């Protein structure tokens, strides 16, 4: 084992987490991590950050597409306006040459990547409700949102106080193209005012956008931005992209 | 029953304390402890039949085992399985006296872990035997799934609070594996500034997660009665 891999080297740990070390160095770093709890903690944090960055980079792409689509429309409209400003207008302007009123595509704004549900429990679920929830979330994580919604409906029926079940039930309905049905479970989560309130409001805003109810979406987003929920920055970005009042 | 509990909050917790303690700059790191003598002593005690030393040894090694398995397998779920299988195999081997040099216990554990990971890669999921590998010893690593899901959401939100340049630095470092000098060249910054921003961004995320997540659950290891 080389001296550098036996010591606590933060950059070496970053290279390790990024998978950039050769096999010999990697094994040496790993043996050090087994002996050094401080470096083990650093590796766990860096691995969690890496996973979060991978997910956020992937889920950022639909946003970019939506914003780009709006931007292209806006630029197109701007070109039309500029042309009208610089080119003499015909005596009788045809209706088709009127400036294009650009409205953001509400469906594009409402699009989202359902947050992955990370399962870490390795022992068997203990109660029938836990087992049903686990089964539902397997479907959810596999992208089978309709199936997940059906299973979560049962869990919510059995345990109306199961906050995570109500939340993911709403998200599954929304992801499965049933925004109107998603309103009720998401509202229930908000009314409980637990740990998922911010996320539930953000999802509810998206459900309203899918239903073309911009005013209701705006209300939810403004509530999120006024609070300290971790979803505030996403809500703020979505609020900015909404059509003017 | 040997029962080991761990949570993301605990994983972050100590780092926060170190990261947010007296040192406002780079995270302070204790002096290296190659061939940790405490580890060797614990291994020797287990080999000698001291059952009380088993949970101590497992707790001492578990964080590192989970960290490595998470990086290698890319999944905390699979990592928990691999950690379980590794510590069970380790205790079995020590009880059978198969560790020749207790001072090399880290290398010994590493060998077991790499084998477990190899099997996991092959099967993607290690199938648990219905009977425990070691009589009278059963290891559980229960981790609250809802809490873990919440923490993932909080982590993503925390990343959303970073300035774009800091996100780019973290992505370049942790996903693309670029060196600070390369990142600095691309961003038109000095390598030192890249290092500083990177450390600050990590601390900011750590602090955000600490504020937004639940208090840590009780960590405990206990022997079957």
């Amino acid at each position: 084992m080389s001296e550098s891999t036996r010591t606590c080297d933060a950059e070496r740990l970053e290279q390790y987490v990024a998978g950039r070390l050769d096999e010999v160095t990697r094994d040496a770093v790993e043996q050090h991590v087994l002996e050094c709890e401080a470096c083990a903690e650093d590796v766990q944090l860096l691995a969690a950050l890496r996973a979060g960055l991978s997910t956020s980079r992937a889920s950022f792409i639909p946003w970019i597409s939506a914003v780009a689509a709006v931007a292209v429309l806006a630029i197109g409209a701007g070109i039309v306006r500029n042309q009208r400003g610089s080119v003499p207008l015909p005596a009788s302007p045809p209706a088709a040459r009127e400036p294009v009123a650009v409205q953001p595509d509400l469906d594009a704004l409402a699009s989202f990547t359902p947050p992955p549900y990370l399962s870490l429990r390795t022992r068997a679920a203990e109660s029938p409700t836990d087992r049903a929830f686990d089964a539902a979330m397997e479907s959810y994580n596999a992208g089978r949102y309709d199936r997940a919604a059906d299973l979560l409906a049962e869990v919510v029926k059995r345990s109306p106080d199961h906050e995570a079940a109500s939340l993911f039930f709403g998200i599954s309905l929304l992801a499965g193209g049933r925004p109107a049905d998603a309103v009720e479970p998401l509202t229930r989560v908000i009314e409980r005012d637990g740990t998922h309130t911010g996320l539930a409001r953000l999802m509810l805003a998206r459900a309203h956008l899918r239903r073309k109810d911009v005013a209701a979406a705006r209300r939810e987003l403004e509530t999120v931005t006024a609070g300290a929920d971790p979803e505030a920055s996403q809500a703020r970005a979505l609020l900015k992209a909404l059509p003017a009042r | 029953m040997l029962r080991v509990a761990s949570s993301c909050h605990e994983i972050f917790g100590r780092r926060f304390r170190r990261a947010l303690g007296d040192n406002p700059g780079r995270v302070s790191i204790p002096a290296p402890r190659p061939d940790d003598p405490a580890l060797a002593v614990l291994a020797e005690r287990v080999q000698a039949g001291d059952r009380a030393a088993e949970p101590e040894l497992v707790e001492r090694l578990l964080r590192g085992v989970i960290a490595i398995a998470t990086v290698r397998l890319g999944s905390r779920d699979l990592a928990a399985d691999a950690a379980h299988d590794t510590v069970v195999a380790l205790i079995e081997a020590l009880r059978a006296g198969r560790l020749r040099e207790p001072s090399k216990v880290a290398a010994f554990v590493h060998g077991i872990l790499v084998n477990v990971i190899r099997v996991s890669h092959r099967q993607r999921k290690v199938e648990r035997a219905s009977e425990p590998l070691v009589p009278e010893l059963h290891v559980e690593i229960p981790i609250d799934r809802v809490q873990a899901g919440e923490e993932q959401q909080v982590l993503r939100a925390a990343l959303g609070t970073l300035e774009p340049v800091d996100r780019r630095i973290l992505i370049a470092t942790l996903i693309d594996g670029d060196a600070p000098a390369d990142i600095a060249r691309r961003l038109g910054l000095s390598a030192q500034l890249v290092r500083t921003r990177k450390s600050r961004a990590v601390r900011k995320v750590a602090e955000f997660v600490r504020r937004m997540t639940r208090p840590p659950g009780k960590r405990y290891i206990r022997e079957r009665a």
Side-chain angles (χ1 to χ4, degrees):
Chain A
M1 193 188 299
S2 71
E3 191 55 36
S4 64
T5 52
R6 293 184 74 110
T7 57
C8 305
D9 181 336
E11 281 183 20
R12 184 81 67 174
L13 294 182
E14 289 161 4
Q15 291 168 343
Y16 167 66
V17 170
R20 287 302 173 117
L21 296 179
D22 61 71
E23 200 173 326
V24 174
T25 313
R26 182 193 63 189
D27 287 353
V29 167
E30 286 181 345
Q31 286 186 35
H32 171 73
V33 167
L34 285 169
E35 292 175 331
C36 176
E37 284 191 295
C39 285
E41 288 171 23
D42 283 356
V43 167
Q44 283 183 309
L45 174 60
L46 293 172
L49 272 176
R50 186 176 193 269
L53 286 165
S54 304
T55 308
S56 66
R57 184 153 77 167
S59 61
F60 192 56
I61 291 170
W63 270 98
I64 293 172
S65 307
V67 172
V70 173
V72 165
L73 284 172
I75 291 166
I79 290 169
V80 170
R81 284 197 201 95
N82 285 341
Q83 283 176 343
R84 284 177 60 84
S86 58
V87 178
L89 292 174
S92 176
R97 298 292 299 273
E98 286 298 310
V100 178
V102 180
Q103 288 294 327
D105 180 346
L106 295 182
D107 284 336
L109 288 178
S111 69
F112 70 104
T113 304
Y117 179 80
L118 188 63
S119 160
L120 285 170
R121 185 162 59 206
T122 55
R123 65 179 168 184
E126 284 171 350
S127 71
T129 303
D130 284 343
R131 282 196 291 274
F133 181 70
D134 288 354
M137 296 316 290
E138 274 181 26
S139 294
Y140 175 90
N141 279 339
R144 297 192 299 271
Y145 300 114
D146 288 338
R147 175 70 180 148
D150 290 344
L151 294 172
L152 286 167
E154 288 300 314
V155 178
V156 171
K157 192 174 166 188
R158 200 181 298 164
S159 304
D161 291 337
H162 198 309
E163 189 182 356
S166 291
L167 175 75
F168 284 104
F169 181 36
I171 296 173
S172 298
L173 290 167
L174 186 55
R178 294 157 63 187
D181 295 336
V183 170
E184 196 273 326
L186 292 172
T187 304
R188 198 182 318 133
V189 176
I190 293 164
E191 284 168 354
R192 284 179 56 86
D193 197 19
T195 52
H196 300 301
T197 307
L199 182 60
R201 282 197 189 279
L202 188 64
M203 291 297 166
L204 185 57
R206 287 178 172 133
H208 288 318
L209 284 178
R210 291 267 178 89
R211 302 166 68 212
K212 315 297 180 203
D213 188 347
V214 178
R218 191 186 301 281
R219 273 197 303 277
E220 297 301 336
L221 294 171
E222 284 174 346
T223 308
V224 179
T225 56
D229 290 306
E231 289 77 18
S233 59
Q234 284 183 68
R236 208 168 290 123
L238 194 50
L239 205 49
K240 274 186 194 167
L242 289 184
R245 290 175 199 267
Chain B
M1 179 192 289
L2 183 68
R3 196 154 188 263
V4 182
S6 181
S7 79
C8 185
H9 200 288
E10 283 176 44
I11 289 162
F12 287 127
R14 289 199 205 173
R15 166 99 183 199
F16 297 146
R17 284 195 287 281
R18 287 187 300 113
L20 305 169
D22 299 333
N23 184 0
R26 184 71 184 119
V27 171
S28 63
I29 295 175
R33 293 180 298 173
D35 300 335
D36 188 342
L39 216 50
V41 170
L42 282 171
E44 274 181 313
R45 282 173 55 197
V46 175
Q47 294 232 91
D50 180 354
R51 293 293 169 93
E54 290 176 358
E56 273 184 67
L57 180 64
V58 170
E59 177 155 26
R60 179 68 188 70
L61 287 165
L62 192 65
R63 190 178 295 276
V65 170
I66 291 177
I68 294 165
T70 304
V71 171
R72 290 263 199 139
L73 292 166
S75 153
R76 286 175 58 187
D77 202 8
L78 292 177
D81 280 350
H84 168 277
D85 293 341
T86 300
V87 295
V88 167
L90 170 68
I91 297 299
E92 183 187 40
L94 292 179
R95 283 183 183 180
R98 291 206 290 271
L99 173 63
R100 287 180 191 161
E101 293 180 70
S103 65
K104 298 276 193 316
V105 64
F108 188 70
V109 177
H110 184 254
I112 295 173
L113 176 57
V114 168
N115 275 332
V116 168
I117 288 170
R118 209 168 279 148
V119 171
S120 182
H121 270 310
R122 255 201 316 269
Q123 301 178 346
R124 287 311 292 171
K125 191 89 178 178
V126 177
E127 288 185 3
R128 299 270 176 83
S130 56
E131 291 299 315
L133 293 174
V134 183
E136 298 176 0
L137 180 72
H138 179 66
V139 179
E140 285 188 34
I141 306 181
I143 301 173
D144 185 335
R145 297 175 73 162
V146 174
Q147 182 175 332
E150 286 169 9
E151 284 161 350
Q152 282 297 105
Q153 288 165 13
V154 169
L155 183 62
R156 280 198 301 279
L159 290 169
T161 66
L162 296 180
E163 287 181 39
V165 66
D166 291 336
R167 286 172 62 91
R168 285 180 69 184
I169 289 172
L170 286 183
I171 286 171
T173 302
L174 296 174
I175 296 180
D176 303 330
D178 294 338
D182 297 329
I183 301 167
R185 216 172 6 258
R186 278 205 306 277
L187 297 179
L189 305 170
S190 70
Q192 186 52 44
L193 184 56
V194 167
R195 287 192 182 92
T196 304
R197 293 196 76 116
K198 186 172 61 184
S199 300
R200 204 185 297 149
V202 169
R203 285 205 311 278
K204 188 176 176 184
V205 170
E207 165 63 4
F208 188 98
V209 175
R210 186 188 64 77
R211 277 192 286 110
M212 301 306 298
T213 48
R214 289 191 234 158
K218 191 178 173 189
R219 180 191 179 90
Y220 57 95
I221 298 176
R222 62 184 166 83
E223 193 73 17
R224 176 183 280 171

